Amino acid sequence: MKIVVLTGAGISAESGVPTFRDADGLWEGHRVEEVATPEGYDESPALVQKFYDDRRAALASVEPNPAHLALARLEEALGPDLVLVTQNIDDLHERGGSTEVLHMHGELLSALCRACQSRMPWSGEMSGFPPCPRCGVSELRPDVVWFGEIPYEMDRILSALSEADLFVSIGTSGAVYPAAGFVQQAARSGARTLELNLEPSEGTVWFHEARHGPAGQLVPAWVDEILLRVTP
Ligand code: BJW
C-alpha cells in the first residue's frame, strides 16, 4: 500500500512549537506580510531574521512527540511506500527517526544565499547578516518558502500523490496552497483520503474520513491500524 502523509504545524503543537493560525499562534504580534513574504523581508530584514532566529533557537528546547515517533515506525515498516511531506520547517520528524522527509516549505536549519542561490546547513543566528561561506556576500536568508514563492519538491510530491492508495493529512488548517489542494489531487487519482486534526480543517469536506483530536493520540492509533494491515 502506497501512503502519502502531509503534516502541518499541528503535529508539532504538543512538542511546544506554536502553530500559525490558532490563538497564541506564531503570527500573533506580526502581520503575515511582515514575516512571511519576500516583500516583508526586503522591507524589514532585521525583524524577519530575528523572527526566524528565535524559532531556530527554540528548536533546542523541544522534542518529538508520539505522533512524530509513530510516523518513523511507519517508515520503518513501509520504506519507500511511505512518502512523508511536511509543511513544517522544524526538524522534529528527523529527530523522531524519519529519514526521508520532503520539507516543502524549507527548513529552519538551512540557509539560502540570495547572491549565489546556494543552500547550506545553518544552525546559528542570521541577524548579524554573516557572509555566505560559498560566495562571501552577506545575503543569507532563512531557507524557507514564503507566500508567492514556489514550494520545494513539487515534482516528487505530485508524482507520489498520483500513485497513492491513501493520503493522510495531519495537523494542518488547509488554508495554504498548494498543500491544501493535495487532498483533491490524491482523490482524483483514486486514493482514499483521511484527515487527522484537532478540529475540522478548512478542507475537511474533501476527505473521505476525518478523525478529530490531538495528533499525539490519533497518529499512533492510526499507525497501529496500518501496521496490523501491512505486516504479516
Ligand atoms: C492540531 C493540534 C494538535 C493544533 N493535534 N492538530 C488565493 C487562492 C488560492 C491560493 C492563493 C491565493 N492567493 C495566493 C495564493 C497562493 C498562496 C496561498 O495559499 N495563500 C493563501 C493565504 C490563500 N500560496 C503560496 O504563495 C505558495 N506558493 C505557491 O502557491 O506557488 C505557486 C506554485 C505552487 C506549486 C507549483 C508551482 C507554483 C507558498 C506558500 C508558502 C507558505 N509559507 C508558510 C511560511 C513558511 C516558513 C515558516 O514556517 O515561517 O508556511 S505560511 C505558514 O502556513 C507555513 C505553514 O507551513 C503553512 C500552513 O500552516 P499549517 O501548518 O496548516 O498551520 P496552521 O496554524 O494554519 O494550522 C494548524 C492546524 O493544526 C489547525 O487546524 C489546528 O486545529 C491543528 N492543531 N494543535 C492535531 N495537538
Side-chain angles (χ1 to χ4, degrees):
M1 176 165 43
K2 289 183 186 295
I3 303 180
V4 175
V5 169
L6 169 72
T7 65
I11 197 170
S12 296
E14 289 156 78
S15 295
V17 180
T19 60
F20 291 91
R21 295 170 183 80
D22 297 311
D24 301 327
L26 262 177
W27 287 336
E28 293 262 303
H30 292 287
R31 284 182 306 117
V32 56
E33 300 81 16
E34 264 179 350
V35 291
T37 62
E39 295 78 14
Y41 181 74
D42 286 338
E43 202 160 296
S44 313
L47 180 144
V48 176
Q49 291 286 18
K50 178 157 178 357
F51 178 72
Y52 285 96
D53 278 353
D54 290 350
R55 288 171 65 191
R56 195 178 300 107
L59 287 182
S61 55
V62 298
E63 295 292 336
N65 68 54
H68 299 103
L69 301 178
L71 292 178
R73 278 196 289 131
L74 191 60
E75 182 194 282
E76 211 170 280
L78 293 183
D81 283 347
L82 173 70
V83 174
L84 175 56
V85 181
T86 188
Q87 299 168 87
N88 299 341
I89 62 173
D90 64 51
D91 62 344
L92 291 177
H93 282 304
E94 287 85 350
R95 284 201 269 147
S98 292
T99 62
E100 283 290 330
V101 186
L102 302 182
H103 280 273
M104 64 179 290
H105 291 166
E107 296 178 69
L108 270 173
L109 295 175
S110 179
L112 170 67
C113 176
R114 300 210 305 173
C116 70
Q117 304 304 319
S118 299
R119 302 172 71 191
M120 64 210 86
W122 197 269
S123 55
E125 297 196 338
M126 282 186 215
S127 288
F129 299 99
C132 169
R134 305 263 163 82
C135 72
V137 178
S138 290
E139 281 284 3
L140 293 178
R141 57 160 270 189
D143 187 10
V144 301
V145 178
W146 288 322
F147 286 109
E149 297 183 324
I150 298 178
Y152 290 126
E153 307 283 9
M154 286 307 298
D155 289 350
R156 288 172 74 186
I157 296 169
L158 294 177
S159 152
L161 288 171
S162 72
E163 292 175 359
D165 300 302
L166 176 61
F167 170 75
V168 185
S169 171
I170 302 172
T172 176
S173 57
V176 176
Y177 288 83
F182 290 171
V183 56
Q184 288 157 284
Q185 277 163 292
R188 267 199 303 273
S189 301
R192 189 168 169 77
T193 57
L194 168 66
E195 167 170 279
L196 304 176
N197 204 51
L198 194 59
E199 59 195 9
S201 73
E202 288 188 21
T204 198
V205 294
W206 300 111
F207 290 85
H208 292 110
E209 184 186 349
R211 301 179 191 176
H212 297 133
Q217 290 172 21
L218 293 183
V219 179
W222 168 71
V223 166
D224 287 345
E225 277 172 35
I226 296 292
L227 293 181
L228 273 177
R229 280 163 59 182
V230 299
T231 47

